[in-house]
Amino acid sequence: MQASPADSATLPPPQLQLGEQTRAGDSPRSHAGIPWWAWALAGALFFAYMTLSLRLHQRMLSNAFDLGIFEQVIRSYAEGHLPVSEVKGPDFPVLGDHFHPVLALVAPLYRLWPSPMVLLVVQAALIAASVLPLALWARRTLGSTAAGIIGTCYGLSWGIASAVGVDFHEVAFAVPLLACSLAALGTDRLRAAAFWALPLLLVKEDLGLTVAVIGLLIARRGDRRLGIATAAAGLGGTALAMLVILPAFNPQGSYAYTHWLTAGSEGGEGGLPDLLHKVTIGLITPEAKVTTLLFLLAPTLFLALRSPLVWVALPTLVWRFASGLSTHWGTSYHYSLVLMPIVFAAFIDALVRRQPSGVSLRRYLVGSAAITALILPQYPLWQLVKPETWRTDPRIAVAHGLMDRIPDGATVQASNQLVPQLTGRTSTGLYGWADSRPDPEWIMVDTLVPQHRRWPQSFAEEKISLDRALAEGYRTAAEQDGFVLLTRAG
């Protein structure tokens, strides 16, 4: 018979035959704080995340959406005003796009180091730090060996690797908050669970729904008043952000992303029938959504389904799978980042509830490690062992030489991968983006970007745009190795 949530908190930790898992080798003093191996694991993951992110940026593989936008947001806070993004449009108020005031915390660091690289370092630190609460919870309940393996599998999980390999995103702040909240919830520290969950309201508007689910789980664990209050705060926070704050700042006067639910999928007509399809059978079709679910649960050997903590993933999964945008359905980009601490917390909780024998636990850990290792080469962290990651294209030096000719503070339109190289010192928009500021002082375009990486213009569209710019009064200031630098004649 499976233990109830209330009973599980009182069960003694299993006595397992996995060497360190009896914890006999640990000194009593090490239990009072964070053991050295946990610091070493978090440090190694931080170094890996940071190295990959910085290397991608150095190779000009970061993007206007999103690193360029987020640097402009944080630069705004550092300069003492509400965030705007020139990439989104002329003086576009970003608090009308997404609600993420937590980003103001990065502003002091940005003042010391005004570079997009500071965002990537902060993101690496936040994600790496999230391994600590999960590993410490596993250590207390399952032993040090289990904690080390689970922490490593979590840190190398595909959802984290995908996020680290694609720019910076505000949801990096959610990862340690979720890890701390769920570790507290799993050990019946209910006030701490609520304390760590509530700041999620400042990370992104949809995370209030995640807070609401955590609140319901707190109520289920025994503190009904605290749980209901937390759930109400989550629902109220999301409603306030989506219905009041974001429309107030948005130039269109509405929340910008309801069309993901109301518009037709991939060019469909939309309407009520399409919406009903999306929130029913559409949650598991097409097959990309099922693949994501399988990838999400496989590293836990599907044991995460045996823990109520897995319900915390539901709001994120529902909005993603009900979205009409196909990139939300799969395993790429940063969309699964917030799910990883949830499923691994559910994994730990499920193991604690099952109280497996040493042999059984060993099988679970080996299985989780094997699946993590099998999936790892398909995702960006694997780039760290590829030789091409460490080669520097001579064109990068050429690009920087041409960008140095653009004066600080100038208005610029640039190709997608050039934008994050310029956002720290100029007012930079995205070349070919319909909402970009018209008539910039400078235009810089990389005409040799491969067709599969071109956005928002195709090669033919870009050529037409450049010819039009020359006809409208721009002159060629420089042209080298496929880079074209235009400036206003005069």
Side-chain angles (χ1 to χ4, degrees), residues 34-49 124 127-132 134-136 144-156:
I34 302 175
W36 69 268
W37 59 262
W39 285 117
L41 176 59
L45 291 170
F46 166 69
F47 184 77
Y49 303 155
I127 298 175
S130 68
V131 76
L132 295 175
L134 296 177
L136 293 178
S144 294
T145 299
I149 294 172
I150 292 172
T152 301
C153 291
Y154 165 72
L156 298 178

Side-chain angles (χ1 to χ4, degrees), residues 28-316:
R29 186 176 181 179
S30 70
H31 294 294
I34 302 175
W36 69 268
W37 59 262
W39 285 117
L41 176 59
L45 291 170
F46 166 69
F47 184 77
Y49 303 155
M50 178 184 66
T51 301
L52 176 62
S53 296
L54 295 181
R55 188 59 188 150
L56 290 172
H57 179 67
Q58 290 165 353
R59 295 172 63 204
M60 294 201 311
L61 296 176
S62 49
N63 303 280
F65 282 66
D66 287 305
L67 184 58
I69 291 174
F70 281 115
E71 183 182 11
Q72 290 175 335
V73 169
I74 292 169
R75 181 181 173 187
S76 298
Y77 282 125
E79 292 174 351
H81 59 82
L82 290 176
V84 296
S85 172
E86 191 77 5
V87 173
K88 293 286 293 184
D91 298 320
F92 184 90
V94 179
L95 287 179
D97 188 54
H98 285 301
F99 186 68
H100 39 49
V102 70
L103 293 177
L105 296 177
V106 187
L109 294 175
Y110 188 83
R111 287 183 65 88
L112 296 174
W113 183 17
S115 166
M117 291 189 285
V118 74
L119 281 68
L120 300 175
V121 173
V122 166
Q123 176 172 261
L126 288 168
I127 298 175
S130 68
V131 76
L132 295 175
L134 296 177
L136 293 178
W137 175 22
R139 175 175 175 257
R140 287 192 299 269
T141 54
L142 301 171
S144 294
T145 299
I149 294 172
I150 292 172
T152 301
C153 291
Y154 165 72
L156 298 178
S157 60
W158 62 267
I160 287 177
S162 293
V164 170
V166 58
D167 298 344
F168 169 91
H169 296 91
E170 75 279 73
V171 289
F173 279 91
V175 180
L177 292 172
L178 281 167
C180 289
S181 179
L182 296 179
L185 185 57
T187 52
D188 275 340
R189 293 178 292 119
L190 303 184
R191 289 186 178 275
F195 173 83
W196 287 111
L198 288 172
L200 292 169
L201 296 171
L202 304 179
V203 177
K204 199 173 180 183
E205 64 275 6
D206 64 286
L207 288 174
L209 302 177
T210 302
V211 174
V213 176
I214 293 174
L216 294 177
L217 292 176
I218 290 172
R220 182 177 183 268
R221 302 284 290 208
D223 195 332
R224 296 188 63 184
R225 179 177 295 181
L226 176 63
I228 292 172
T230 302
L235 293 174
T238 286
L240 180 65
M242 290 186 176
L243 301 179
V244 179
I245 299 174
L246 291 167
F249 282 96
N250 190 282
Q252 304 301 319
S254 61
Y255 179 51
Y257 297 105
T258 53
H259 68 275
W260 284 346
L261 292 177
T262 58
S265 300
E266 301 297 304
E269 295 182 359
L272 182 59
D274 188 75
L275 179 60
L276 291 175
H277 172 79
K278 287 177 179 178
V279 298
T280 53
I281 192 66
L283 291 177
I284 56 172
T285 58
E287 64 181 19
K289 299 174 185 179
V290 176
T291 300
T292 297
L293 288 174
L294 292 175
F295 269 57
L296 188 65
L297 296 169
T300 74
L301 304 182
F302 296 88
L303 283 180
L305 292 172
R306 295 176 174 265
S307 167
L309 298 185
V310 78
W311 286 100
V312 180
L314 189 61
T316 298

Side-chain angles (χ1 to χ4, degrees), residues 272-463:
L272 182 59
D274 188 75
L275 179 60
L276 291 175
H277 172 79
K278 287 177 179 178
V279 298
T280 53
I281 192 66
L283 291 177
I284 56 172
T285 58
E287 64 181 19
K289 299 174 185 179
V290 176
T291 300
T292 297
L293 288 174
L294 292 175
F295 269 57
L296 188 65
L297 296 169
T300 74
L301 304 182
F302 296 88
L303 283 180
L305 292 172
R306 295 176 174 265
S307 167
L309 298 185
V310 78
W311 286 100
V312 180
L314 189 61
T316 298
L317 288 172
V318 168
W319 79 250
R320 283 179 58 188
F321 291 171
S323 169
L325 187 63
S326 61
T327 52
H328 289 156
W329 307 340
T331 60
S332 300
Y333 305 104
H334 62 288
Y335 299 114
S336 296
L337 179 59
V338 299
L339 299 176
M340 305 321 294
I342 298 172
V343 296
F344 275 88
F347 184 35
I348 296 169
D349 187 51
L351 288 173
V352 172
R353 289 166 177 271
R354 288 176 69 87
Q355 295 290 296
S357 66
V359 173
S360 295
L361 180 59
R362 186 180 296 109
R363 285 200 299 265
Y364 293 136
L365 297 176
V366 170
S368 179
I371 292 172
T372 300
L374 184 66
I375 294 175
L376 182 61
Q378 303 177 50
Y379 290 91
L381 281 175
W382 195 251
Q383 294 182 36
L384 290 171
V385 301
K386 292 185 175 181
E388 56 266 31
T389 301
W390 307 103
R391 300 190 189 111
T392 300
D393 189 338
R395 295 183 69 245
I396 293 175
V398 173
H400 282 287
L402 296 181
M403 285 187 284
D404 287 344
R405 299 180 59 172
I406 301 173
D408 293 352
T411 58
V412 186
Q413 282 187 23
S415 296
N416 181 33
Q417 282 85 18
L418 297 176
V419 168
Q421 310 293 329
L422 290 163
T423 45
R425 63 181 187 86
T426 66
S427 179
T428 312
L430 176 61
Y431 187 69
W433 185 248
D435 294 328
S436 291
R437 183 185 296 276
D439 303 319
E441 297 170 288
W442 297 81
I443 294 173
M444 186 166 172
V445 176
D446 182 359
T447 64
L448 297 185
V449 175
Q451 190 68 41
H452 69 277
R453 285 179 47 210
R454 283 188 167 273
W455 183 80
Q457 290 185 319
S458 68
F459 178 82
E461 291 169 335
E462 181 181 88
K463 187 176 187 306

